[in-house]
Amino acid sequence: MEIGNLFASIPGSLPEELFDEILTGGAFKLERIVSKGHTSPEGFWYDQDKHEWVLLVKGAAMLQIDGIDEPVKLLPGMHINIPAHLKHRVAWTKEDEETIWLAIFY
């Protein structure tokens, strides 16, 4: 048995997004992602082989989804399921506080 805390072990300075693998098993992976003003590099799109379910726990973010004109705004408690190979990118995250995401890849 392991006990963890999603809000622990976050450095005071985040020059890059923080990715922590929390749990894996079979065909899935659970990951904590911490952003603070981070966005995807210009012209970069995620194009993943697995589906990704994302829950925004803290902060705020906007995702740009290929084929959708307006960015999708996520606030705490909101979640989105991104099918495999649906191109997407992080368009914006809050700069004055951490944005904490939980992502399940399956």
Side-chain angles (χ1 to χ4, degrees), residues 35-50:
S35 310
K36 190 171 184 182
H38 297 96
T39 62
S40 297
E42 189 65 36
F44 173 82
W45 292 84
Y46 289 99
D47 184 3
Q48 300 162 162
D49 292 332
K50 293 189 174 195

Side-chain angles (χ1 to χ4, degrees), residues 29-74:
K29 174 175 72 169
L30 173 62
E31 188 172 75
R32 176 185 75 166
I33 304 166
V34 182
S35 310
K36 190 171 184 182
H38 297 96
T39 62
S40 297
E42 189 65 36
F44 173 82
W45 292 84
Y46 289 99
D47 184 3
Q48 300 162 162
D49 292 332
K50 293 189 174 195
H51 306 299
E52 180 182 6
W53 180 84
V54 178
L55 167 67
L56 197 114
V57 177
K58 177 185 174 194
M62 285 197 282
L63 294 178
Q64 192 172 1
I65 308 291
D66 189 35
I68 299 176
D69 292 335
E70 293 296 317
V72 175
K73 186 170 186 177
L74 296 175

Side-chain angles (χ1 to χ4, degrees), residues 7-8 12-13 21 32-33 35 40 45 52 54 63 70 75 77-78 82 84 86-87 90-92 97 101-103:
F7 304 111
S13 174
E21 193 173 281
R32 176 185 75 166
I33 304 166
S35 310
S40 297
W45 292 84
E52 180 182 6
V54 178
L63 294 178
E70 293 296 317
L75 299 171
M78 296 177 75
I82 304 168
L86 177 59
K87 292 180 182 179
V90 178
W92 173 85
E97 76 172 294
W101 326 62
L102 278 182

